[in-house]
Amino acid sequence: GMVRHQQQQHGYKGYIATNPNCSTTGLVIALKPLFDAFGIDEALVFTMQAVSGAGYPGVSSLDIMDNVVPYISSEEDKIESEPCKILGGFDGSQFIEAPMNISAHANRVPVLDGHTITCSLKFKKKATVEEVEAALTGFRSEIQDLKLPSAPASLINVRTEADRPQPRLDRMA
């Protein structure tokens, strides 16, 4: 939609497609089935981002050992705005953002690989824990239908243990 619109408006032959923020990607995968099933008014999002997410050279090992960096520049703004655009719609000429409020806090933590997100949601429609679990476990996307060799069989793995997920134990789940 938007690519064709911009090509027509500006006479472009090619285009550049960008990816959303890394934390936004994981967050939206989990929010999508819940947004579709129950609607979301508000989300309070906390990210605990691995040192690998800072790129090279990243956070100095002496700065992160035995430490948490409680703010990652520009991350919170992206996490607060990008999901609304992704979960919203497109009317043929512009994006229509999903009507929800997101408050985000981004933290760098001493984990080598694997971001973790905790999220509290206020749904538009009342939902039980069982209904939320069913919406998450039942979610399918085009990825499964395409049967790509690197695509996971399931996009979302629901863990019911109180102490999970943990990056060291679950990053390859």
Side-chain angles (χ1 to χ4, degrees), residues 16-39:
I16 297 173
T18 61
N19 295 334
N21 172 276
C22 56
S23 293
T24 296
T25 302
L27 176 64
V28 169
I29 289 171
L31 290 183
K32 174 67 173 151
L34 302 175
F35 182 80
D36 289 349
F38 313 111

Side-chain angles (χ1 to χ4, degrees), residues 47-52 64 67-69 72 107-112 114-116 167:
T47 67
M48 294 159 275
Q49 299 185 29
V51 293
S52 62
I64 198 66
N67 196 19
V68 169
V69 179
I72 305 170
N107 305 274
R108 185 77 61 206
V109 296
V111 171
L112 292 177
H115 295 357
T116 301

